[in-house]
Amino acid sequence: MIPLVARRRPRAAWRLPVAVAVGVLLAAALSIAPAVGPLAAAREAAPASAGVRWSVVPSDGRGPDGRSAVEVGVRPGQTVEDHIAVRNASDAAVTFRLAAADGFTSASGRFDVRAEGESSVDAGSWISLPARVTVPAGATVVVPFSIAAPSGAAPGDHSAGITASVLSTARADGGASVGVDTRVGVRVLARVAGQLSPAASLHGGGGSYAVAWNPLRPGSAIVSFDVVNDGNTRLLASGTVSAAGQDTPFPAAGEPVIDLLPGDRRTVRVVVDDLWPSILVPVDVTLRPRGITIDGQTPIAAASSLQTSLWAMPISQLIVLTGAALLIFAALWGRQRSHRRTDRLVADAHEHDRPPAAAALTEESTSA
């Protein structure tokens, strides 16, 4: 008979790789849940200075005419007349300071004008208007102004702004009184007659990929590039980003238009959702600029394109494959060690079970 032998399962040999594999899979599973964070919204307070509330809008000789900006066509050496309306929504009469300055687009894409004290060298210096206007409480006053284009003015669009401001006093951190100049204004765009040359180009494409830790879901990418207005007219920029055969328009629905003055350079970031990682993703950017209509002129700008690529590593998929490979390896290794141990135990039992007489008989036969 084969003697009964107490068997111990070879746990120590395969416990470590199995624990590692289970840990990897557990981490991947826990990361499937989407991260939820607070949404931040940037808000700007309405201009206010010591309780004064006011607005400035384009106007005709009678009052506000519904325009969002003053846009006029002018020939070199010509002077054109227009109006603004200053409304005082306060409970007392206010005297506002009026000024004109060159306009520009800030890095955030918002229109702004040169600060007080900075010299204007373009359309801001062409505008003449009263230095002050007094507006009764709850009333609106129409203010005339003129735009005189120099005889040597270059053809194309020239930007400026007209502001109405109030100087108030505020307390600094140290308790000292400081003057605060709050301005509210209206945009002015003068298109000088002549050869219009609308043009825009793309530069510096690149991007980054955000992996989805759920291996069954695609990730997303952020593609960034610069749009430059190389012409002499104001343009609205739009187009399409194509990544791995998926087209994403820009600007997206609900996003502000990309408004470019001549010489402006704007960095655009486009989010491409539902993008599966394929290590290296080719990206094509197509820009279709559109000219602004002023005085019946709608310049046509040619489309342009840019090719780039971004790295999109399938990290979550690799984690799952690695974990599965470790589990399979651990199972096969444990089975192989168990078989070897069983074979050794069986061999030891057979060796133990051999009768001593057989060994003696063998010795006698050898002697004979």
Side-chain angles (χ1 to χ4, degrees):
M1 293 180 59
I2 300 176
L4 297 177
V5 179
R7 299 183 180 179
R8 290 187 305 169
R9 301 185 62 171
R11 293 176 296 177
W14 54 268
R15 179 181 297 174
L16 181 59
V18 169
V20 172
V22 171
V24 171
L25 291 177
L26 181 60
L30 291 176
S31 62
I32 290 175
V36 179
L39 296 177
R43 296 183 180 180
E44 292 187 353
S49 180
V52 180
R53 293 177 291 117
W54 73 103
S55 63
V56 183
V57 295
S59 172
D60 56 22
R62 297 181 301 273
D65 56 10
R67 289 179 294 170
S68 60
V70 175
E71 298 177 344
V72 298
V74 61
R75 297 186 303 273
Q78 181 188 13
T79 299
V80 296
E81 306 290 336
D82 213 317
H83 304 79
I84 59 170
V86 182
R87 178 177 181 270
N88 177 14
S90 308
D91 297 330
V94 179
T95 298
F96 299 97
R97 297 189 302 163
L98 302 179
D102 289 346
F104 66 93
T105 305
S106 67
S108 63
R110 298 181 63 87
F111 179 78
D112 202 351
V113 297
R114 289 181 180 269
E116 185 178 2
E118 295 184 10
S119 298
S120 293
V121 296
D122 199 35
S125 64
W126 304 352
I127 299 174
S128 299
L129 75 166
R132 287 176 175 79
V133 61
T134 300
V135 184
T140 299
V141 173
V142 174
V143 179
F145 69 93
S146 63
I147 303 174
S151 57
D157 293 341
H158 300 260
S159 185
I162 297 176
T163 60
S165 62
V166 173
L167 184 63
S168 61
T169 302
R171 291 285 181 182
D173 293 339
S177 298
V178 295
V180 178
D181 187 17
T182 306
R183 302 184 299 175
V184 176
V186 63
R187 184 171 183 165
V188 178
L189 187 69
R191 172 164 290 175
V192 177
Q195 181 64 42
L196 299 181
S197 303
S201 57
L202 295 166
H203 301 270
S208 60
Y209 183 77
V211 64
W213 293 109
N214 181 349
L216 302 180
R217 294 183 60 85
S220 61
I222 298 179
V223 179
S224 61
F225 50 90
D226 289 349
V227 181
V228 179
N229 186 344
D230 302 311
N232 62 358
T233 65
R234 180 181 166 203
L235 297 173
L236 297 180
S238 62
T240 305
V241 173
S242 299
Q246 180 173 318
D247 295 339
T248 302
F250 68 88
E255 292 184 349
V257 298
I258 305 173
D259 193 337
L260 300 172
L261 295 171
D264 276 356
R265 185 185 190 103
R266 185 82 50 79
T267 298
V268 180
R269 292 177 175 84
V270 179
V271 177
V272 181
D273 293 318
D274 299 328
L275 187 65
W276 287 101
S278 56
I279 302 179
L280 188 64
V281 178
V283 177
D284 292 325
V285 181
T286 301
L287 173 66
R288 290 180 290 272
R290 179 167 56 89
I292 302 296
T293 299
I294 296 179
D295 195 24
Q297 301 180 77
T298 306
I300 299 176
S304 59
S305 61
L306 173 71
Q307 287 74 42
T308 184
S309 59
L310 57 90
W311 292 101
M313 301 300 296
I315 298 176
S316 57
Q317 289 81 2
L318 290 176
I319 290 176
V320 172
L321 290 176
T322 302
L326 287 174
L327 283 175
I328 294 173
F329 173 76
L332 293 177
W333 189 27
R335 176 179 296 182
Q336 186 178 12
R337 287 183 59 86
S338 177
H339 284 202
R340 288 200 300 265
R341 182 176 179 82
T342 300
D343 292 342
R344 285 199 304 270
L345 291 175
V346 171
D348 291 344
H350 278 295
E351 185 68 25
H352 240 292
D353 203 39
R354 291 181 61 184
L361 181 60
T362 302
E363 292 178 359
E364 293 176 1
S365 300
T366 304
S367 300

